[in-house]
Amino acid sequence: SAMLDEPASALSPVGEARQVRSPDDPALAQLCLELAAAAEALDASGAWPAMQLQRCAAYGVHGWFLPARWGGQEWSETEILKAYVQLGAACLTTAFILTQRVGACRRIAGSANELAAQRLLPDLVAGRSFATVGISHLTTSRRHMARAVLRAEETSAGYVLDGYSPWVTGGCHAAQIVTGATLDDGRQVLVALPTNLPGVEVPPPANLVGLSASHTGEVHCRRVEVAREWLLAGPVENVMSTGQGAGTGGLQTSALALGLARAAIDFLYGEAQRRSDLAPIAERLGEEQAALVERLLDPATSTSQANNDFRAAANSLVLRATQAALGAAKGAGYVAGHPAGRWCREALFFLVWSCPQPVLSANLCELAGL
C-alpha cells in the first residue's frame, strides 16, 4: 500500500554526507542529529523510514559491519557497540531495523555460500537493497510448539519451505529474508529467501505499542521452493549456532537500550536546569548509564551468563530512565507527540525483543520486588 512506502519524515535525501569512519567521528554525531529530528514524525506516521535508511547508507553505516573484501570497513565489536548506543539515542526504530539488516548481511557474509555473498552483498553494502532476518522461531519465539512453525523438506533442487516466521522486520521491503526452517529429523537449514518466490506472502505488519514503523510481523511460506543456491547453512542441528553472524539477544540489544536510556537522561538533565530537584535524579541515572556503557565495552561482558546479567541491568535502567523522563515532563509528556511518552513505549520493547528467559525472569523479579 502507499502507506508502506511514503517517506517517514521531512528528512531530505539530498545533501552531502561524509563517510563515518569511527564511532567518535563528528559525521556520526551529524547523522544522529538528523535521525533524532525526524524520530517523532516517524513514530506518528508509522511509515517505513526509507529516508532514514538512505541517510545511513549515505554516511556509510552499512559498511561498518562487513569485511573489506565486500566493501566494508570491518569495525571492531567495540566500535560497533559504541555507535549503536548513539544510534539508539537518536532513533530507536532506525537503529533496530539496522540490527536486523546487519544480522542478515553478516549471515550471508559468514556463510560458506560464496556465490550468494557475491550476488547479494555489493548492493547491501551500498544501500541499494534491503535484507532482513526471520530467525526468532529458532531462538526465542514459538519454540514450545510441538511442530516447528516453519518446516523444510529436502528435494533434488533444494528445499520446500512451509509455515511462517512470526517476527520479521521490514519483510514487505526486503529483497531477501535470512530465515531458518526445520526438517522432520530435527535438523535445520538457513536460507537467504528471495521474497519474490511464488508462495512467499507478507501480510500487513503488526500494529505495535512502539516501533510500528519497523513494519515487523509475520512472513508466510506456502510450499515455497527454494533452490540450493540460496542455502547459507545446514542441514544441521541448531543451525543458528553455526557459522558467523549476529547472535540473538546479544550485546547490540543492550547497546540500544543504553542509547534510549541516554536520550531520556539527557532530557532529565535539560529539565534540571530549571528545576533543581531533578538534578540528583539525572546525575544518579547518568552515572548508572555511564557505568553500564563501560561494562558494555568490556570483552568479559560477552560471555553468556555475564551477557544475561548485563541485559537485565540495561533493561532495568531503560525502563526507569524513560519513566523518570515522563514523570519530569508531567502531563505534557503524556500527550502524544512528546518524546518522553514515546521513549516509555519504546523501552517496553526490551522486555520482549530477543529476551532470554533468565533475563525476563530477572526483570520480572525486580518489578515484583523479589
Side-chain angles (χ1 to χ4, degrees):
S1 74
M3 185 217 91
L4 294 182
D5 293 306
E6 68 183 45
S9 71
L11 264 183
S12 168
V14 297
E16 288 300 308
R18 198 166 59 72
Q19 298 277 298
V20 178
R21 293 294 174 189
S22 84
D24 305 312
D25 193 325
L28 177 56
Q30 178 56 38
L31 170 62
C32 287
L33 281 173
E34 292 182 32
L35 295 177
E40 212 56 56
L42 175 67
D43 180 61
S45 72
W48 178 250
M51 210 62 80
Q52 282 86 335
L53 294 171
Q54 282 177 26
R55 295 306 287 157
C56 287
Y59 278 94
V61 171
H62 303 322
W64 299 350
F65 312 93
L66 289 170
R69 62 184 295 236
W70 300 117
Q73 292 188 39
E74 291 189 50
W75 281 24
S76 71
E77 204 57 30
T78 301
E79 290 173 315
I80 287 169
L81 290 170
K82 283 174 79 169
Y84 266 150
V85 172
Q86 296 176 64
L87 290 170
C91 178
L92 188 66
T93 297
T94 303
F96 168 58
I97 292 168
L98 283 173
T99 66
Q100 305 306 286
R101 189 187 197 283
V102 169
C105 291
R106 282 183 155 179
R107 282 283 166 184
I108 294 165
S111 83
N113 188 340
E114 185 75 13
L115 250 88
Q118 287 173 4
R119 288 167 69 177
L120 302 176
L121 287 176
D123 281 350
L124 285 166
V125 173
R128 290 187 294 267
S129 73
F130 178 74
T132 188
V133 288
I135 52 174
S136 67
H137 56 286
L138 299 179
T139 54
T140 55
S141 294
R142 307 293 198 277
R143 298 195 68 197
H144 57 282
M145 311 288 246
R147 187 172 182 235
V149 294
L150 187 54
R151 300 165 297 281
E153 294 169 27
E154 192 162 9
T155 67
S156 56
Y159 295 88
V160 173
L161 266 53
D162 197 51
Y164 72 103
S165 182
W167 297 107
V168 180
T169 293
C172 45
H173 309 279
Q176 271 81 27
I177 299 171
V178 172
T179 190
T182 306
L183 286 96
D184 280 346
D185 62 8
R187 292 180 303 158
Q188 298 169 333
V189 291
L190 197 69
V191 300
L193 173 71
T195 54
N196 61 359
L197 289 179
V200 177
E201 296 173 9
V202 186
N207 191 19
L208 305 174
V209 171
L211 295 98
S212 275
S214 70
H215 291 180
T216 297
E218 296 181 354
V219 171
H220 293 258
C221 291
R222 307 202 186 280
R223 306 282 310 163
V224 177
E225 296 179 20
V226 184
R228 203 172 300 277
E229 66 198 79
W230 298 116
L231 182 69
L232 298 179
V236 66
E237 288 187 17
N238 293 321
V239 74
M240 290 305 295
S241 63
T242 66
Q244 301 161 347
T248 59
L251 289 176
Q252 71 271 12
T253 311
S254 298
L256 296 195
L258 294 178
L260 181 59
R262 180 79 259 164
I265 293 163
D266 285 346
F267 173 80
L268 283 168
Y269 275 122
E271 292 295 293
Q273 301 294 313
R274 296 180 290 111
R275 293 161 53 197
S276 59
D277 59 308
L278 292 175
I281 293 155
E283 279 165 24
R284 179 67 184 268
L285 289 167
E287 286 165 6
E288 186 178 345
Q289 194 268 355
L292 283 174
V293 168
E294 205 170 296
R295 271 177 67 191
L296 174 75
L297 306 177
D298 181 344
T301 307
S302 62
T303 64
S304 180
Q305 182 53 49
N307 181 14
N308 280 348
D309 293 345
F310 182 75
R311 172 75 192 273
N315 279 8
S316 171
L317 174 65
V318 74
L319 289 164
R320 288 180 286 114
T322 53
Q323 288 178 44
L326 181 66
K330 301 187 176 177
Y334 204 64
V335 176
H338 193 288
R342 170 171 58 85
W343 294 329
C344 284
R345 288 185 287 109
E346 291 176 343
L348 297 173
F349 183 49
F350 294 98
L351 290 174
V352 296
W353 174 27
S354 292
C355 198
Q357 193 55 48
V359 176
L360 184 57
S361 296
N363 288 140
L364 291 176
C365 285
E366 182 186 24
L367 291 169
L370 290 172

